[in-house]
């Protein structure tokens, strides 16, 4: 079930506060102890600055609540080694997007994957890659291309999703609207 807009707002606030704490600009976020944000649900946090991606980190299997998962992955997104590290003076200009992950389910055929609704995970051996639904929408990919790009993200050849030993799963995402706008300075 999708979260209420107020819950998404709270998650974005938690993510922002976790980023502030990680960068030494504030204390830890206050995490709710009950309600839907206390459920053990996975999440991704994506941060950007001026349209430039600065970090995207997630967890499908959190060790605690959704609120804890958001705080943890938001802090980690500030140090995503694929991008320039976030600096304290950039905090108030960051766009923060929180993606709440639905359960993963096996994908038997690419025709089951709905672009814009489903994200994908491909695992073969110790390599695993995941892409959120918006990646396919933004790039204009079809289902097969989306699966191939998920393989590439895992460091696998593009058609690895067809390997009988590969695990291919899809999942839905609840983003509750667009990224939170930067906080005015």
């Amino acid at each position: 079930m999708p979260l209420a807009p107020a819950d998404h707002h709270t998650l974005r606030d938690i993510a922002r506060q976790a980023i502030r704490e990680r960068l030494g600009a504030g204390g830890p976020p206050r995490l709710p102890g009950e309600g839907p944000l206390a459920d053990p649900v996975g999440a991704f946090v994506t941060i950007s600055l001026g349209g430039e991606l600065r970090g995207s980190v997630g967890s499908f299997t959190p060790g605690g609540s959704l609120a804890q998962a958001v705080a943890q992955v938001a802090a980690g997104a500030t140090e995503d080694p694929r991008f320039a590290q976030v600096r304290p003076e950039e905090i108030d200009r960051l766009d923060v997007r929180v993606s709440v992950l639905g359960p993963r389910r096996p994908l038997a055929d690419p025709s089951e994957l709905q672009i814009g609704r489903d994200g994908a995970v491909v695992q073969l051996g110790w390599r695993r890659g995941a892409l959120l639904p918006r990646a396919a929408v933004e790039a204009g990919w079809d289902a097969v291309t989306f699966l191939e790009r998920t393989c590439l993200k895992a460091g696998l050849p593009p058609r690895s999703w067809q390997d009988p030993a590969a695990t291919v799963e899809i999942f839905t995402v609840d983003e509750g609207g667009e990224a939170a706008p930067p906080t005015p300075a």
Side-chain angles (χ1 to χ4, degrees):
M1 170 172 12
L3 294 175
D7 291 328
H8 281 286
H9 180 77
T10 299
L11 288 175
R12 286 189 295 269
D13 285 347
I14 289 168
R16 283 191 170 284
Q17 190 57 41
I19 291 167
R20 286 185 174 287
E21 179 187 26
R22 173 60 62 96
L23 298 177
R30 196 167 149 249
L31 305 178
E34 57 186 40
L37 305 187
D39 293 340
V41 177
F44 268 76
V45 172
T46 304
I47 54 178
S48 58
L49 180 63
E52 179 184 333
L53 190 59
R54 297 296 293 278
S56 183
V57 174
S59 173
F60 284 98
T61 53
S65 70
L66 172 58
Q68 290 170 321
V70 166
Q72 180 181 17
V73 298
T78 66
E79 299 171 352
D80 188 332
R82 299 171 294 171
F83 308 102
Q85 214 171 2
V86 176
R87 297 183 315 270
E89 62 270 16
E90 297 172 325
I91 293 171
D92 292 333
R93 299 188 329 262
L94 294 175
D95 292 318
V96 177
R97 184 187 305 255
V98 176
S99 302
V100 179
L101 306 177
R104 291 179 290 175
R105 60 195 185 282
L107 178 71
D109 186 88
S111 65
E112 297 172 18
L113 193 155
Q114 184 177 330
I115 297 297
R117 180 196 69 189
D118 297 324
V121 179
V122 175
Q123 183 167 349
L124 184 58
W126 58 272
R127 293 184 181 270
R128 181 173 84 170
L131 287 174
L132 297 174
R134 74 174 165 271
V137 172
E138 291 170 358
W141 298 331
D142 62 15
V144 170
T145 304
F146 188 42
L147 292 169
E148 290 173 349
R149 294 298 180 129
T150 306
C151 291
L152 291 172
K153 178 135 187 236
L156 296 166
R159 297 198 181 265
S160 295
W161 64 272
Q162 296 173 318
D163 187 313
T167 300
V168 182
E169 297 171 310
I170 57 175
F171 58 94
T172 58
V173 172
D174 179 2
E175 291 185 322
E178 294 301 311
T183 305

